[in-house]
Amino acid sequence: MTTTERWHATACILCENNCGLLVRLDGRRFEKIRGDKDHPASAGYTCNKALRLDHYQNGGTRLTSPLRREPDGTYTEIDWDTAISEIAAGLSAVRDAHGGDKIFYYGGGGQGNHLGGAYSGALRRALGSRYRSTALAQEKTGEGWVDAHLTGGHTTGDFEHAEVSVFLGKNPWQSHGVARARTVLQQIAKDPARTMIVLDPVRTETAEMADIHLPVRPGTDAWCLAAMLAVLVRDDLLDHGFLAEHTTDAAPVLDALRAVDIDAYAEVCGVPVDLVRAAAHRIGTAGSVATYEDLGVQQSPNSTLVSYLNKLLWLLTGNFAKRGAMHPHSWLVPLAGYDREIKRTPVTGAPILGGMVPCNSIAEEILTDHPDRFRAMIIESSNPAHSLADSAAFRAALDALDLVVVIDIAFTETARRADYVLPAASQFEKWEATFFTLEFPHNTFHLRAPLLDPLPGTLPEPEIYARLLRELGVVSRRRLALLSAAARLGRRAYLGAFAALMAIDKKTFGLAPYLLYETLGPTLPDGARSAAVLWALTQRVAKLHPAAMRRAGHRNADALFDAILAGRSGVTFTVDDYADAWDYVPHPGKRIPLAIPELLAALRDLGGAPVAHTSDEFPFVLSAGERRAFTANTIFRDDSWRRRDPQGALRVNPDDAAGLGLSSGDRARVTTARGSALTTVEVTDRMQRGHVSLPNGFGLDLPGGRTGVALNELTDLTLRDSIAGTPWHKHVPARLEPAPDQGVTPCP
Ligand SMILES: Nc1nc2c(c(=O)[nH]1)N[C@H]1C(S)=C(S)[C@@H](COP(=O)(O)OP(=O)(O)OC[C@H]3O[C@@H](n4cnc5c(=O)[nH]c(N)nc54)[C@H](O)[C@@H]3O)O[C@H]1N2
Ligand SMILES: Nc1nc2c(c(=O)[nH]1)N[C@H]1C(S)=C(S)[C@@H](COP(=O)(O)OP(=O)(O)OC[C@H]3O[C@@H](n4cnc5c(=O)[nH]c(N)nc54)[C@H](O)[C@@H]3O)O[C@H]1N2
Ligand code: SF4
Ligand SMILES: [Mo]
């Protein structure tokens, strides 16, 4: 075997960038990992974390059999047939007694695995389940709703070329989100003609590289951005040509901004007004501007308003549809809906944005006597008992349900509350992909081939969903046989048969992923049955973006599908020109309507809105969930992957630490309205006074015990955005004390 044959192409599963990797195997171990230069987006780049992926594949304890919880709370291993028939019967019983809409679906993919989730829709459709959510409903739904109003969909910044790059509550040095982030940040920092502006209360690695760091007081970005926008208006740095030609309703927006008291708002956010002015002038005079907002603002007070103000920053200055600016983009399939209309949840009337129930509302929708409460939950590829605010409330909610089914590779905190646990094959043991297709002008997609056989006893999610659907008997054998016969005749025959079936029975449309898996799937090369759903998605690309697809070198949908199946390092599926961004704007005349009445009202009310949420009892702002060099959500269930910061220390400003008599390495107790935890302290002048921060992904209940803080034992369901319902994970009022009781946090 030559060296090249021993390297297998795959991708990193730890963040949305999914950098292409080459892995050399030694049996089932990842002997060596390196960046894949052939990957069209990452081009050989990786960060420090990808090299530790063997700890995902081989580090934790895997599930190898379906489990059923017995009345005494213990779990019994059962075979797959028993598990599938009991779960199908249990879900049917809930549907028959209470209606399929009482079956709630959560998850469907993490940072690396969305292919299973693509099949879950068919199961939901078959059961009549209507409500669902994912982690996106605790970060991006407010931004998505703003996008729906403005450009009509998600936008991406061209940081490779932007003259001015703005990061709001985003630390790409650690969290990425920008392809080849560290390289791009270094290029910006080195180039005197380009400017980086960072809004962050913490002097992060990214802030240290910035030309202008605006060290806002935690939770005050709305005032800072309003002041910057007011400077743009007052000093006439607007792109009037762009506003006249490409937007509508600018007048009420500019009126609201004229009313902003710039000095007072700068005072509120704690940034010298000259620095606010300098940042605004740099943005207002730049040839191109790109911005990225993330959890620091999306999980803080006024988050939806902040999303709006962020987007006004580049819209009022005409930074759309040109090199170095902001762009909508193609998708293989959108991760969320983009509706301006707000639907509501059945019990509490919480806003459903992008099709998702706000994460903070899920427990409230269950812990009630209301007849419309959810009765069952299917949870896949997610660990909500650890990742949702107020874990105690979420555990109680799971316990109150008639039926909980968890599909995971490990016996997680969530699996421990399930009635049935189904063991999935790992992300390197099956065909996998993500739908984080967020790039412009070159958008890429990577279907990963398995490196290993599934661990005995485990199944890929598409097969799990198919088995449940077979058991439910939702599609007649005759129909499946007809489609299978067409598939054997070739793609053209298949397309005809598939389209005919959809035309005569529109109800089958929702079951399409299952039909494809059962009929087209078996004809695909190399056992890539799970890729069948991508055939429909490539038809979608061909219909929506035919020219961009052809520019990427694919003459039609089937050619693109075949390229995806064959391209082990990923493919570029659309190539746009910068000006093509306008084709993605769905509004009349392709004009961007700038006024969002609810948010203009919030902007006008900002002068009287509460600035601080701390109190004498809880004087600190705790940011619960900082991304660091060795955090990766809860994807690794093996603490030994961390080379640094093994305890996940609480970062504290030196003055605060001195006031409390704390030094680095000491233990302290952090207490919030919902809970209390012991932590190790790291004293650092990166933090401002009154602000403390804990990393995400710690506090798992592993066989060796719990290391670090399980953040959501401390967070609160009621601390959430008034519009989107997204949590204030970065803004939890807290108290800090030296810990005389140097004990271990007990597991719940
Ligand atoms: N290393 C690593 N990378 C990851 C992940 C991981 O677990 N580990 N997870 C991935 C996921 S799921 C996501 S969503 C992204 C998140 O990526 P980021 O949003 O970049 O990550 P965070 O560190 O949570 O928050 C960013 C910054 O917000 C700042 N912040 C806190 N409060 C405020 C505030 O009031 N205003 C402002 N302006 N800033 C504030 C924090 O100091 C922090 O530097 O990261 C992804 N990448
Ligand atoms: N306090 C606080 N809470 C937070 C955050 C914060 O900053 N602070 N961040 C929030 C954010 S942005 C996010 S994205 C969420 C993330 O939280 P979750 O959505 O819960 O996702 P992960 O932690 O990524 O967990 C992924 C799960 O998938 C499982 N898994 C891994 N591979 C596979 C597979 O191939 N198949 C299946 N079926 N399962 C698999 C893992 O074992 C794990 O249980 O956390 C949120 N929660
Ligand atoms: S940036 Fe790092 S964590 Fe994210 S996908 Fe690439 S290698 Fe993995
Ligand atoms: Mo996230």
Side-chain angles (χ1 to χ4, degrees):
M1 210 184 239
T2 68
T3 325
T4 44
E5 275 165 351
R6 284 163 56 214
W7 290 93
H8 303 271
T10 183
C12 178
I13 59 164
L14 299 176
C15 86
E16 71 177 51
N17 289 103
N18 302 123
C19 298
L21 300 179
L22 294 174
V23 174
R24 205 164 74 192
L25 294 169
D26 172 13
R28 289 184 73 89
R29 299 205 77 80
F30 292 2
E31 188 204 3
K32 264 207 152 91
I33 299 174
R34 67 176 197 221
D36 180 359
K37 294 203 173 67
D38 292 336
H39 190 279
S42 60
Y45 177 91
T46 75
C47 74
N48 59 301
K49 296 188 292 298
L51 309 180
R52 312 292 284 163
L53 276 169
D54 188 58
H55 291 261
Y56 163 79
Q57 177 60 33
N58 295 304
T61 313
R62 290 279 299 279
L63 290 165
T64 52
S65 165
L67 301 176
R68 177 180 62 209
R69 191 170 55 193
E70 305 299 345
D72 67 356
T74 59
Y75 283 88
T76 310
E77 294 195 350
I78 55 177
D79 62 57
W80 273 100
D81 288 347
T82 307
I84 294 293
S85 70
E86 290 187 10
I87 292 169
L91 291 169
S92 303
V94 172
R95 176 194 55 199
D96 296 345
H98 306 292
D101 58 339
K102 309 303 182 308
I103 301 172
F104 187 71
Y105 179 85
Y106 189 85
Q111 302 297 302
N113 54 324
H114 299 168
L115 206 48
Y119 291 90
S120 68
L123 177 63
R124 284 186 278 128
R125 177 58 61 100
L127 292 167
S129 158
R130 282 177 47 205
Y131 298 99
R132 71 174 188 112
S133 199
T134 73
L136 284 173
Q138 60 176 323
E139 45 175 322
K140 303 273 176 285
T141 38
E143 181 186 18
W145 182 68
V146 173
D147 285 336
H149 279 87
L150 298 173
T151 50
H154 182 256
T155 52
T156 286
D158 180 11
F159 297 98
E160 293 250 10
H161 304 107
E163 185 181 318
V164 174
S165 298
V166 186
F167 298 109
L168 299 118
K170 171 80 194 162
N171 180 12
W173 184 265
Q174 294 299 5
S175 67
H176 290 77
V178 174
R180 300 178 297 110
R182 291 179 181 178
T183 309
V184 171
L185 291 176
Q186 275 161 338
Q187 281 164 353
I188 299 172
K190 249 190 356 229
D191 186 342
R194 299 173 69 192
T195 299
M196 194 193 306
I197 299 175
V198 172
L199 277 81
D200 199 310
V202 177
R203 205 181 71 245
T204 60
E205 296 82 353
T206 309
E208 257 168 351
M209 303 174 84
D211 303 278
I212 303 178
H213 174 203
L214 303 170
V216 287
R217 266 192 204 111
T220 63
D221 296 82
W223 286 269
C224 189
L225 289 169
M228 285 165 72
L229 286 160
V231 170
L232 292 177
V233 175
R234 211 74 61 79
D235 297 352
D236 198 18
L237 299 166
L238 308 177
D239 186 337
H240 294 287
F242 181 91
L243 293 179
E245 196 185 338
H246 294 300
T247 71
T248 59
D249 306 330
V253 177
L254 301 184
D255 284 347
L257 291 172
R258 266 182 215 110
V260 166
D261 182 339
I262 296 171
D263 291 287
Y265 280 26
E267 178 89 33
V268 167
C269 70
V271 179
V273 71
D274 290 342
L275 205 54
V276 171
R277 279 217 168 80
H281 274 258
R282 187 67 188 93
I283 290 167
T285 55
S288 60
V289 179
T291 77
Y292 198 133
E293 59 164 271
D294 214 343
L295 301 187
V297 293
Q298 293 182 339
Q299 297 182 337
S300 284
N302 304 303
S303 58
T304 308
L305 174 60
V306 168
S307 294
Y308 182 48
L309 300 176
N310 161 33
K311 281 146 210 289
L312 288 176
L313 215 49
W314 47 264
L315 283 169
L316 297 184
T317 52
N319 281 294
F320 182 79
K322 65 180 187 187
R323 191 175 141 98
M326 302 298 297
H327 309 90
H329 52 83
S330 62
W331 295 93
L332 210 61
V333 61
L335 289 171
Y338 287 91
D339 298 325
R340 294 161 70 162
E341 166 209 355
I342 300 184
K343 298 194 194 80
R344 299 272 164 192
T345 58
V347 174
T348 65
I352 298 180
L353 302 183
M356 286 170 269
V357 172
C359 292
N360 280 40
S361 299
I362 298 171
E364 295 175 346
E365 292 286 316
I366 297 169
L367 294 170
T368 160
D369 292 333
H370 196 288
D372 291 336
R373 66 186 184 275
F374 300 133
R375 308 288 180 138
M377 226 170 140
I378 303 169
I379 301 169
E380 186 229 295
S381 301
S382 192
N383 189 5
H386 189 272
S387 61
L388 263 53
D390 195 342
S391 303
F394 193 76
R395 285 191 295 267
L398 288 178
D399 294 347
L401 293 168
D402 297 351
L403 178 64
V404 177
V405 179
V406 167
I407 304 173
D408 205 296
I409 61 164
F411 198 47
T412 62
E413 292 67 23
T414 307
R416 274 157 227 220
R417 323 297 290 200
D419 297 292
Y420 293 90
V421 186
L422 297 178
S426 87
Q427 296 180 51
F428 299 105
E429 297 168 349
K430 62 193 173 203
W431 291 88
E432 238 337 332
T434 71
F435 298 113
F436 291 130
T437 50
L438 308 170
E439 297 293 313
F440 187 94
H442 297 253
N443 209 352
T444 66
F445 177 74
H446 188 184
L447 173 67
R448 290 126 52 187
L451 305 185
L452 301 163
D453 290 335
L455 200 63
T458 68
L459 290 175
E461 291 81 353
E463 177 63 22
I464 296 176
Y465 290 118
R467 288 191 186 192
L468 285 167
L469 283 157
R470 279 175 219 147
E471 183 73 19
L472 291 166
V474 289
V475 183
S476 73
R477 279 167 199 278
R478 215 179 129 254
R479 277 202 176 161
L480 291 174
L482 269 168
L483 281 177
S484 294
R488 283 192 295 274
L489 293 174
R491 297 269 178 74
R492 187 185 280 259
Y494 189 74
L495 178 61
F498 196 82
L501 177 60
M502 294 296 138
I504 46 171
D505 184 1
K506 291 216 161 49
K507 283 204 300 275
T508 43
F509 193 73
L511 299 171
Y514 169 63
L515 294 172
L516 291 164
Y517 181 82
E518 295 289 63
T519 61
L520 180 68
T523 69
L524 299 179
D526 306 321
R529 185 170 183 174
S530 302
V533 69
L534 302 175
W535 176 81
L537 301 182
T538 55
Q539 302 287 338
R540 183 182 178 279
V541 172
K543 196 165 160 215
L544 294 178
H545 319 293
M549 181 186 78
R550 278 195 297 274
R551 260 181 251 127
H554 315 289
R555 72 183 181 287
N556 57 29
D558 273 298
L560 172 58
F561 182 53
D562 288 332
I564 287 173
L565 285 172
R568 289 290 179 268
S569 296
V571 300
T572 299
F573 69 94
T574 48
V575 174
D576 277 300
D577 294 329
Y578 285 105
D580 292 340
W582 289 109
D583 296 338
Y584 292 90
V585 177
H587 306 309
K590 299 191 200 285
R591 278 168 170 255
I592 299 170
L594 290 179
I596 305 179
E598 296 90 329
L599 295 176
L600 284 177
L603 173 59
R604 277 187 230 104
D605 292 346
L606 202 53
V611 174
H613 302 271
T614 48
S615 61
D616 290 343
E617 194 185 1
F618 300 116
F620 285 93
V621 172
L622 165 67
S623 282
E626 190 178 52
R627 272 62 184 166
R628 295 185 185 166
F630 287 95
T631 72
N633 290 1
T634 67
I635 302 165
F636 292 106
R637 294 189 67 85
D638 169 8
D639 285 330
S640 71
W641 80 281
R642 297 191 175 94
R643 287 230 163 108
R644 289 199 301 277
D645 193 24
Q647 302 293 318
L650 176 93
R651 292 187 175 154
V652 193
N653 170 275
D655 294 342
D656 289 334
L660 291 163
L662 288 168
S663 313
S664 283
D666 285 354
R667 300 280 283 170
R669 178 166 288 283
V670 54
T671 305
T672 68
R674 293 300 300 151
S676 163
L678 284 171
T679 176
T680 306
V681 166
E682 178 189 336
V683 180
T684 165
D685 66 0
R686 289 180 185 277
M687 302 300 297
Q688 43 177 282
R689 289 179 65 167
H691 188 206
V692 294
S693 136
L694 279 167
N696 70 320
F698 279 81
L700 298 179
D701 293 322
L702 300 179
R706 190 188 271 190
T707 306
V709 178
L711 299 172
N712 290 313
E713 304 294 344
L714 302 177
T715 54
D716 192 328
L717 292 181
T718 61
L719 294 176
R720 60 190 179 203
D721 186 59
S722 60
I723 294 170
T726 38
W728 295 4
H729 286 326
K730 301 288 131 93
H731 204 91
V732 187
R735 180 170 70 240
L736 192 61
E737 296 145 311
D741 52 332
Q742 307 271 323
V744 174
T745 320
C747 299

